[in-house]
Amino acid sequence: MRKKFFKRILKKLKTSPPNPPEVSAHGEIALKKQDIKDTLDQNLKIFKSLYSVPDNADVKVREIFIPRLKRNAAILFIASITDALEIEARIIDPLLHESESDAEILNIISARSVKTAKKIEDIVDEVNNGNAAIFVDGDMQCYLADASSFQARPVGKAENEVVLKGPKEAFTEKALVNLSLVRKNFRNESLVAEKAVVAKRANNGLFILYVKDLVNEDLLKKVKDRISKIDIAAVQNISLLEQLIEDRKNSLFPTILYTERPDRATSFLQEGHIVLFMDNAPACLVIPVTFWSFFHNPEEHYLRFPYANFTRLLRFLALFNTIFISASYIAIANYHSGMIPPDLLLAISATREKVPFPAIVEILLMEFAFELIREAGLRVPSPIGPTIGIVGALILGQAAVQANVISPLVIIIVALGGLSSFAINEIHFNFTIRIIKFPFILVAGVFGIFGLTALFVGGLYYAVSIKSFGVPYFAPFTPKYRSSGDLLFRKKISSERFRPGYLKPKDGIKKGEV
């Protein structure tokens, strides 16, 4: 009896509940493909149904009578994203007080821009973008006035790409503001901002920026084709778009650059790159990019030649330090102790005399603790974050050493590697370096220096095979292209004569005239 009882229960648990009935939207979709009607009542009925008026409190319909035309009219807009004062001053007031008998509606309305549309879906798209739709009884077209007013925070400082010398402005969550910041840096008529839609249901707009005199047409077509193939209900911001269009979605190595600095985006545009903007993201995407794009810091061109190369050398050493210092310690301590001077070897042995764990366990424990402290410091409120990082590291490290769980040398090694990782300021590349150090630690614990070398060579082979929109990842170092030579060390500003050859720009030589 018990077995039957339990079998019945398991059968009920395994049986999936019936799917809820699907509500078809085909009728609404078909309606949007139609043209508007010639009577105001019919049009209001259609659009009130589409926007669920009066249940939808955010959508407003203002009905007026135009004395000059002796006809009724209605203005439809979404209150939260439309400037009501603009509608009152630029649309309603002129329509009510126009005295000329032969004036056209397009000439009466004094909004920033006015256009007409007949299809219902076109009108809906404009209203969803914050514009006002004016319906006039007897007209087979709708008048669309620009009155959008999306809320956004003011322009502030960059939080992730901090510079000591150079512009402090950063992008905001409003795409038009970001476009103005770029145009402030690059005031040229050849800068093109094409608009596209990446999600039909949510109507998420995307701006594709490029310099038409420089950008390679094949590269531009490849980017547009990849964007047009996106088939998803909504793409809220640029971070989601990045994951949809990147080359290798499961790779640790990023192939698209994410930056929040207008000056950096402008410098890429002037080289022949393509930049993508969307609302709701305080940054842009740069396409295509190479390994060197992530390695470079936007401040280096603002510093004098020797200072910039000194910081690059430090960052290059920090890159290798982050990846190899912990793994090298394990490999040398476990398999190649003969490489250590006798006095240092005795000192290391003395510090590890009471530690019960092997070196690899010590390193993994401390690396995990360091990453945990870093993540906790980022997620808690800003006044508490630095305190958690400092206090947590001091207390945890000191307690671990006193309890003979971790040797003091391991604390020093992990701290050096962790501090070196902070020198890599690009978000995605920073994650790449922090993650790949763990495979190196494991391989070093099993195979020593030989395993470490083999994994490094294999990783190089893999990285060289990566492409960003057809551009080799290590270009122009390999394969070799004509470029400015801005790789490990940058040249003097006056010596940077060529744009990157791997982009195949229309004009490969930097010069004063355009």
Side-chain angles (χ1 to χ4, degrees):
M1 291 293 292
R2 270 185 198 172
K3 289 183 179 179
K4 290 182 179 179
F5 174 73
F6 283 117
K7 282 182 179 179
R8 283 200 300 270
I9 291 176
L10 289 172
K11 188 176 181 180
K12 287 181 180 180
L13 290 173
K14 289 180 179 178
T15 305
S16 59
N19 293 325
E22 294 185 2
V23 180
S24 176
H26 291 305
E28 192 171 291
I29 294 171
L31 178 63
K32 290 181 181 179
K33 300 292 183 184
Q34 299 177 14
D35 291 343
I36 61 172
K37 311 302 180 183
D38 59 349
T39 62
L40 181 62
D41 291 337
Q42 286 180 302
N43 289 328
L44 288 181
K45 184 179 179 181
I46 291 171
F47 282 89
K48 284 182 178 180
S49 173
L50 289 172
Y51 281 101
S52 302
V53 177
D55 296 334
N56 192 348
D58 195 25
V59 179
K60 307 296 181 184
V61 178
R62 172 73 184 274
E63 297 187 42
I64 62 173
F65 177 75
I66 305 176
R68 186 188 62 78
L69 297 178
K70 296 181 181 180
R71 284 190 285 174
N72 292 320
I75 303 165
L76 173 73
F77 61 94
I78 301 175
S80 59
I81 59 175
T82 308
D83 189 345
L85 296 177
E86 182 84 4
I87 292 175
E88 184 70 30
R90 304 287 185 179
I91 300 173
I92 297 177
D93 191 63
L95 288 174
L96 293 178
H97 299 96
E98 176 61 37
S99 58
E100 294 185 16
S101 59
D102 57 346
E104 297 289 336
I105 295 289
L106 289 173
N107 297 327
I108 297 173
I109 298 171
S110 58
R112 287 168 291 194
S113 67
V114 185
K115 59 184 178 181
T116 60
K118 293 183 178 181
K119 283 196 175 296
I120 294 175
E121 63 178 348
D122 295 336
I123 300 169
V124 168
D125 287 344
E126 292 294 329
V127 172
N128 291 342
N129 285 322
N131 297 326
I134 302 105
F135 300 94
V136 180
D137 192 21
D139 279 9
M140 283 292 293
Q141 62 183 1
C142 173
Y143 303 94
L144 300 164
D146 183 4
S148 62
S149 178
F150 287 92
Q151 299 301 313
R153 63 184 174 91
V155 177
K157 292 184 178 181
E159 295 183 3
N160 298 317
E161 299 174 84
V162 180
V163 297
L164 300 177
K165 186 179 180 181
K168 300 292 190 290
E169 291 176 332
F171 290 129
T172 70
E173 284 79 6
K174 198 169 181 179
L176 289 177
V177 174
N178 297 339
L179 287 174
S180 69
L181 291 173
V182 171
R183 287 196 178 274
K184 187 174 76 170
N185 286 284
F186 188 67
R187 307 183 187 190
N188 193 288
E189 71 281 358
S190 60
L191 179 60
V192 178
E194 289 190 27
K195 192 169 184 180
V197 176
V198 292
K200 299 290 175 126
R201 188 174 185 85
N203 195 26
N204 299 122
L206 168 72
F207 287 99
I208 306 172
L209 266 71
Y210 58 90
V211 180
K212 64 180 181 182
D213 297 337
L214 297 177
V215 71
N216 180 272
E217 295 295 338
D218 293 335
L219 173 62
L220 182 61
K221 183 177 182 301
K222 187 177 293 185
V223 172
K224 289 181 179 179
D225 288 345
R226 198 169 295 187
I227 291 170
S228 65
K229 290 178 182 177
I230 296 174
D231 186 14
I232 193 169
V235 182
Q236 282 80 12
N237 56 51
I238 208 80
S239 300
L240 299 178
L241 178 70
E242 176 186 5
Q243 299 175 54
L244 293 170
I245 64 173
E246 62 184 346
D247 285 78
R248 300 193 183 187
K249 296 176 175 57
N250 298 321
S251 175
L252 285 177
F253 292 90
T255 54
I256 299 175
L257 181 68
Y258 179 96
T259 180
E260 57 184 7
R261 297 186 56 83
D263 57 320
R264 194 179 189 191
T266 306
S267 67
F268 277 110
L269 284 169
Q270 292 172 341
E271 298 284 354
H273 293 261
I274 298 169
V275 172
L276 306 180
F277 280 115
M278 281 185 70
D279 282 321
N280 307 322
C284 68
L285 299 182
V286 178
I287 299 172
V289 288
T290 64
F291 169 83
W292 312 103
S293 304
F294 298 100
F295 180 72
H296 296 163
N297 188 296
E299 188 177 24
E300 288 160 352
H301 276 78
Y302 301 129
L303 293 173
R304 294 182 64 243
F305 175 71
Y307 308 157
N309 284 326
F310 175 70
T311 58
R312 279 205 182 173
L313 179 61
L314 282 179
R315 194 177 307 109
F316 187 73
L317 295 176
L319 173 68
F320 277 86
N321 199 26
T322 305
I323 299 173
F324 291 111
I325 187 169
S326 295
S328 300
Y329 168 74
I330 294 170
I332 293 172
N334 288 355
Y335 299 101
H336 312 283
S337 56
M339 298 173 63
I340 307 174
D343 292 341
L344 180 58
L345 183 60
L346 290 173
I348 295 173
S349 301
T351 59
R352 299 196 69 254
E353 186 177 359
K354 296 181 181 180
V355 177
F357 303 115
I360 187 172
V361 176
E362 283 186 89
I363 290 289
L364 288 174
L365 282 174
M366 288 310 300
E367 289 285 1
F368 174 75
F370 192 93
E371 294 295 333
L372 191 63
I373 291 171
R374 170 189 280 187
E375 193 67 18
L378 288 173
R379 304 304 170 193
V380 298
S382 55
I384 309 173
T387 307
I388 286 181
I390 296 170
V391 175
L394 287 173
I395 293 176
L396 186 65
Q398 184 67 24
V401 171
Q402 288 182 352
N404 294 321
V405 177
I406 305 295
S407 63
L409 185 60
V410 168
I411 298 288
I412 296 171
I413 288 172
V414 172
L416 280 174
L419 289 173
S420 298
S421 68
F422 286 110
I424 304 162
N425 65 335
E426 208 285 325
I427 299 173
H428 296 128
F429 197 59
N430 186 275
F431 272 110
T432 299
I433 301 305
R434 286 164 55 191
I435 292 173
I436 64 175
K437 68 180 176 183
F438 287 100
F440 278 99
I441 290 171
L442 295 174
V443 168
V446 178
F447 300 106
I449 289 290
F450 301 106
L452 207 61
T453 306
L455 182 60
F456 178 67
V457 173
L460 274 181
Y461 271 108
Y462 171 74
V464 169
S465 70
I466 297 174
K467 289 186 177 182
S468 173
F469 289 81
V471 173
Y473 203 55
F474 275 89
F477 180 73
T478 175
K480 193 73 174 175
Y481 286 95
R482 185 180 68 171
S483 70
S484 63
D486 186 15
L487 297 177
L488 181 58
F489 296 105
R490 78 165 178 85
K491 293 182 177 180
K492 294 178 182 178
I493 300 294
S494 57
S495 301
E496 295 183 357
R497 295 185 59 246
F498 301 106
R499 292 187 174 88
Y502 53 81
L503 293 175
K504 299 179 176 60
K506 294 177 181 176
D507 185 4
I509 300 176
K510 296 180 180 180
K511 51 190 176 182
E513 65 272 10
V514 294

